[in-house]
């Protein structure tokens, strides 16, 4: 196997500079130049994976086809590059230590003292190199190091990539540093000192970056590029301006315009043609100049931290780009709905999305908001917990099962319409024990989902413990809820719809994880279209409320 070339992306000065987007953009540009690219995120935290972290702390957990629970940056990588990733693409300190300690316990180190250098660094290097052994290898690996240069936690990763740079030789390894060049209001000037310091720290570790990606709110004058280049030992043309963009999908275009992918190709001796960016560019233009606007409410528990719903937000951007629509997201806390009523927040929206979630807090507000949009025929899209809440709402208010709820929240329910599968009853550990990863689902041909996907069989990613309780299939179906998507063996209900409603879809999986900039997810696309139709001619609530409940239903249990 030919050795792969390596591009390491580090970050300096502050966190949240968009290293993930920079890495994804580089991966995309190189892929468009015809290279076989793979991506990796090296995370310095000690959690084995982010699956056990609170979304408030770390944002969304991005689940891959193989069930790996990974950092949200892998979402950017997949959305930009459309390269399918696996658990090998996210390495954490926790995983590295777990492996090394496991080996030590087995006696594999033959009495040696096990140390950060070389044992931990060797394990990190071998996990980076392993990517080239998968799927017939690749030409380039773009690996992003989490955290900020100077952090204690990330030092073993920095040391490992420094060593790898030496071992592979300069024409095979490149270091890209993402840094902040702030504008200081009181001085009326752009300041380069933080960048100088951050590169100094990097060089103390033994890493000399070849490219600086300078995050800035103002244009970076040539004189400043030269100054930064001089202090940081690189040519001024490699000091690249990455200004705040209207949309993150503009970033690859900015980098390309400043010659980054050409420079990478030259530096790493990759003889490749110019990338084809026409389709991408056209889509970016559509995002910037939409024809219409729809307002969609997202009602959840973590609405104060948008990163917790990153993939959903991006899926709406993709759907908007494909339908020429600006999707204005209205964030509503489910607890506020409980306090003040749904009308206070949902009066002027064209659609409601309830995302996934855990824990009982805010659930009653979600159920109330679903009842509101169901009765008013406002398009509804429920994802995972959102679908479970839709089932609970229907069971309570239409099938008249008054105490219907999920077994996740109350254990001695008469009507646990959402419950635990027998194989989950024995689970005691939290990490990696949910129903995780891609599973197939078979759709009813008459359903809205089938219309959207245009195919009967689909594969979507899951991350949940609880499921639709099959004991309630009959009663809920008779009440008008359609179970339009099932697992191939028919055991699991994956999709519910209300046929009498213009667009009411609940899915047990997470479609947002498979939406790409190149290809919006069909369910998000159709949901946005349905919201557009509602926006044009909102349903007449008084008219609709009369016909909505099947009369024969009564409280049976
Ligand atoms: N808490 C629910 C479950 O575990 C839903 C999970 C989710 O929305 N991702 O089944």
């Amino acid at each position: 196997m030919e050795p792969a070339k390596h591009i390491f992306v580090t970050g300096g000065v502050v966190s949240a500079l968009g290293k993930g987007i920079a890495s994804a953009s580089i991966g995309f540009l190189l892929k468009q130049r015809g290279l076989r690219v793979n991506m990796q995120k090296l995370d310095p935290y000690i959690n084995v994976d982010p699956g056990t972290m609170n979304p408030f702390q770390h944002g969304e957990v991005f689940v891959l086809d193989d069930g790996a629970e990974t950092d949200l940056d892998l979402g950017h990588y997949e959305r930009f590059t459309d390269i399918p990733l696996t658990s090998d693409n996210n390495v954490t300190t926790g995983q590295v230590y777990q492996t090394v300690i496991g080996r030590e316990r087995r006696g594999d180190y033959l009495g040696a003292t096990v140390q950060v250098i070389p044992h931990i660094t060797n394990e990190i290097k071998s996990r980076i190199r392993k990517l080239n052994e998968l799927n017939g290898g690749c030409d380039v690996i773009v690996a992003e190091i989490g955290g900020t240069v100077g952090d204690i936690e990330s030092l073993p990763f920095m040391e490992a990539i420094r060593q790898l740079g030496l071992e592979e030789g300069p024409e095979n390894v490149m270091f890209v540093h993402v840094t902040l060049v702030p504008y200081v209001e009181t001085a009326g000037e752009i300041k380069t000192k933080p960048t100088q310091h951050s590169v100094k720290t990097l060089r103390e570790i033994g890493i000399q970056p070849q490219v600086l990606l300078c995050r800035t709110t103002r244009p970076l004058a040539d004189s400043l590029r030269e100054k930064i280049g001089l202090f940081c030992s690189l040519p001024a043309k490699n000091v690249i301006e990455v200004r705040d963009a209207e949309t993150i999908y503009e970033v690859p275009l900015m980098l390309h315009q400043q010659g980054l992918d050409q420079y990478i190709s030259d530096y790493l001796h990759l003889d490749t043609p110019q990338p084809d960016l026409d389709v991408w560019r056209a889509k970016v233009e559509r995002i910037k100049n939409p024809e219409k606007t729809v307002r969609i409410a997202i009602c959840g528990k973590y609405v104060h931290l948008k990163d917790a719903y990153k993939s959903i937000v991006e899926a709406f951007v993709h759907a908007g780009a494909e339908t020429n629509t600006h999707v204005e997201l209205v964030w509503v806390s489910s607890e506020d709905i409980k306090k003040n009523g749904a009308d206070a927040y949902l009066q002027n929206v064209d659609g409601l999305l309830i995302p996934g979630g855990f824990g009982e807090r805010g659930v009653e507000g979600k159920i109330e908001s679903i009842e509101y949009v169901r009765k008013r025929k406002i398009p509804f899209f429920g994802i995972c917990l959102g679908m479970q809440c839709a089932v609970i709402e229907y069971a309570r208010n239409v099938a008249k099962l008054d105490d219907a709820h999920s077994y996740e929240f109350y254990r001695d329910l008469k009507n646990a319409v959402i419950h635990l599968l027998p194989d989950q009853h024995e689970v005691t550990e939290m990490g990696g024990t949910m129903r995780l990863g891609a599973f197939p689902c078979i759709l009813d041909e008459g359903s809205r989902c089938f219309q959207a996907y245009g195919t009967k069989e689909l594969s979507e990613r899951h991350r949940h413990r609880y499921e639709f309780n099959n004991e309630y299939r009959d009663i809920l179906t008779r009440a008008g809820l359609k179970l339009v998507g099932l697992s191939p063996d028919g055991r699991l209900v994956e999709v519910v719809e209300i046929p009498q409603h213009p667009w009411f879809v609940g899915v047990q999986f997470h479609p947002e994880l498979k939406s790409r900039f190149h290809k919006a997810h069909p369910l998000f696309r159709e949901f946005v279209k349905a919201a557009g139709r509602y926006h044009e001619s909102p349903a007449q609530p008084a008219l609709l409320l009369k016909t909505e409940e099947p009369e024969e239903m009564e409280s049976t249990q």
Side-chain angles (χ1 to χ4, degrees), residues 40-51 64 68-71 74 86-103 109 119-120 123-124 127-128 130 157:
Q40 198 167 42
K41 175 84 193 278
L42 304 166
D43 272 315
Y45 49 72
I46 295 170
N47 302 60
V48 171
D49 62 44
L64 305 175
E69 297 177 278
T70 68
D71 186 79
L74 275 85
T86 67
S87 59
D88 292 308
N89 299 91
N90 195 185
V91 174
T92 66
T93 296
Q95 291 165 14
V96 170
Y97 273 81
Q98 204 175 39
T99 305
V100 171
I101 292 169
R103 258 186 227 134
Y109 293 112
H119 302 97
I120 294 297
E123 178 58 24
I124 294 171
R127 283 175 181 248
I128 297 170
K130 183 179 170 201
F157 287 101

Side-chain angles (χ1 to χ4, degrees), residues 9 17 90 160 202 218 243 271 287 300 314 349 394 467 507 529 557:
V9 181
L17 282 179
N90 195 185
L202 205 53
R218 310 247 166 165
R243 232 179 318 156
D271 185 18
I287 292 183
E314 294 307 321
V349 302
Y394 209 81
E467 305 275 356
V507 295
K529 281 196 205 160
Q557 294 192 35

Side-chain angles (χ1 to χ4, degrees), residues 21 53 83 250 294 307 328 340 344 369 375 383 401 417 435 440 452 457 482 489 495 533 538 541 544-545 548 550:
I21 290 162
M53 279 187 227
I83 299 168
E250 239 181 314
V294 294
D307 266 3
E328 187 189 326
N340 307 322
S369 66
K375 290 185 168 167
I383 293 179
L401 305 170
V417 289
R435 183 175 169 216
E457 180 165 350
K482 263 200 115 179
D489 63 5
V495 188
R533 289 192 295 273
L544 294 167
L545 288 174
E548 156 273 326

Side-chain angles (χ1 to χ4, degrees), residues 18 35 69 92 135 162 285 290 299 357 392 434 465 487 541 552:
L35 293 165
E69 297 177 278
T92 66
N135 313 320
R162 180 194 71 79
E285 278 316 304
C299 173
I392 296 167
M434 282 186 262
R465 224 179 273 287
S487 55
E552 81 274 16

Side-chain angles (χ1 to χ4, degrees), residues 165-222:
L166 273 184
E167 289 161 9
E168 301 286 325
E171 72 283 7
N172 296 318
V173 180
M174 184 171 180
F175 295 97
V176 174
H177 190 56
V178 186
T179 175
L180 179 73
V181 184
Y183 176 79
V184 178
E185 201 76 46
T186 45
E189 269 181 25
I190 290 180
K191 292 294 183 190
T192 65
K193 194 79 77 187
T195 293
Q196 293 176 36
H197 277 294
S198 152
V199 173
K200 186 167 163 248
T201 311
L202 205 53
R203 290 165 72 184
E204 278 166 8
I205 300 169
I207 295 172
Q208 166 64 50
Q210 282 76 45
V211 173
L212 293 182
L213 300 182
C214 301
R215 296 283 292 109
T216 158
T217 51
R218 310 247 166 165
L220 211 57
D222 284 348

Side-chain angles (χ1 to χ4, degrees), residues 141-162:
I141 298 166
V142 182
E144 172 192 351
I145 320 294
T148 308
V149 169
D151 292 349
I152 292 175
E153 288 190 322
S154 61
L155 274 175
F157 287 101
M158 295 297 182
E159 170 60 14
I161 63 173
R162 180 194 71 79

Side-chain angles (χ1 to χ4, degrees), residues 14-307:
V14 292
S15 58
L17 282 179
K19 270 188 314 218
I21 290 162
S23 307
S25 300
I26 293 172
F28 164 69
L29 288 171
L30 298 179
K31 189 182 171 206
Q32 292 308 96
R33 292 183 80 107
L35 293 165
R36 293 169 309 153
V37 179
N38 211 340
M39 309 286 304
Q40 198 167 42
K41 175 84 193 278
L42 304 166
D43 272 315
Y45 49 72
I46 295 170
N47 302 60
V48 171
D49 62 44
T52 52
M53 279 187 227
N54 186 332
F56 278 122
Q57 294 252 326
H58 197 71
E60 161 186 278
V61 174
F62 194 80
V63 180
L64 305 175
D65 278 342
D66 68 354
E69 297 177 278
T70 68
D71 186 79
L72 57 77
D73 280 320
L74 275 85
H76 290 308
Y77 305 164
E78 281 201 342
R79 283 189 285 272
F80 276 66
T81 67
D82 202 22
I83 299 168
L85 305 175
T86 67
S87 59
D88 292 308
N89 299 91
N90 195 185
V91 174
T92 66
T93 296
Q95 291 165 14
V96 170
Y97 273 81
Q98 204 175 39
T99 305
V100 171
I101 292 169
R103 258 186 227 134
E104 184 273 335
R105 291 289 82 185
R106 283 198 307 273
D108 292 358
Y109 293 112
L110 305 172
T113 306
V114 182
Q115 294 179 300
V116 172
I117 304 171
H119 302 97
I120 294 297
T121 46
N122 281 352
E123 178 58 24
I124 294 171
K125 285 187 290 181
S126 99
R127 283 175 181 248
I128 297 170
R129 289 195 170 107
K130 183 179 170 201
L131 284 192
N132 192 31
E133 292 157 21
L134 308 171
N135 313 320
C138 57
D139 301 311
V140 192
I141 298 166
V142 182
E144 172 192 351
I145 320 294
T148 308
V149 169
D151 292 349
I152 292 175
E153 288 190 322
S154 61
L155 274 175
F157 287 101
M158 295 297 182
E159 170 60 14
I161 63 173
R162 180 194 71 79
Q163 291 175 12
L164 198 142
L166 273 184
E167 289 161 9
E168 301 286 325
E171 72 283 7
N172 296 318
V173 180
M174 184 171 180
F175 295 97
V176 174
H177 190 56
V178 186
T179 175
L180 179 73
V181 184
Y183 176 79
V184 178
E185 201 76 46
T186 45
E189 269 181 25
I190 290 180
K191 292 294 183 190
T192 65
K193 194 79 77 187
T195 293
Q196 293 176 36
H197 277 294
S198 152
V199 173
K200 186 167 163 248
T201 311
L202 205 53
R203 290 165 72 184
E204 278 166 8
I205 300 169
I207 295 172
Q208 166 64 50
Q210 282 76 45
V211 173
L212 293 182
L213 300 182
C214 301
R215 296 283 292 109
T216 158
T217 51
R218 310 247 166 165
L220 211 57
D222 284 348
S223 56
L224 280 176
R225 290 182 198 236
E226 265 153 38
K227 182 174 171 192
I228 294 172
L230 198 63
F231 276 104
C232 302
S233 278
L234 43 91
K237 71 170 177 33
N238 293 2
V239 179
I240 290 180
E241 170 194 303
V242 190
R243 232 179 318 156
D244 289 354
E246 217 175 291
T247 152
I248 54 171
Y249 299 104
E250 239 181 314
V251 175
L253 303 176
M254 278 184 192
L255 300 180
H256 171 69
Q257 206 215 343
Q258 294 175 74
L260 179 63
D261 49 295
Q262 186 60 51
Y263 176 71
I264 294 175
S265 290
D266 296 343
Y267 186 87
L268 295 175
H269 302 287
L270 295 161
D271 185 18
T272 50
Q274 285 297 317
D276 179 0
L277 302 175
D278 291 350
V279 176
W280 190 279
R281 201 171 276 122
K283 276 216 160 156
V284 167
E285 278 316 304
R286 282 168 80 164
I287 292 183
K288 289 165 117 184
N289 304 298
E291 281 169 5
K292 48 188 177 293
T293 297
V294 294
R295 299 183 84 228
I296 289 182
I298 298 187
C299 173
K301 188 165 80 170
Y302 314 110
V303 288
H304 305 297
L305 182 80
K306 310 285 183 289
D307 266 3

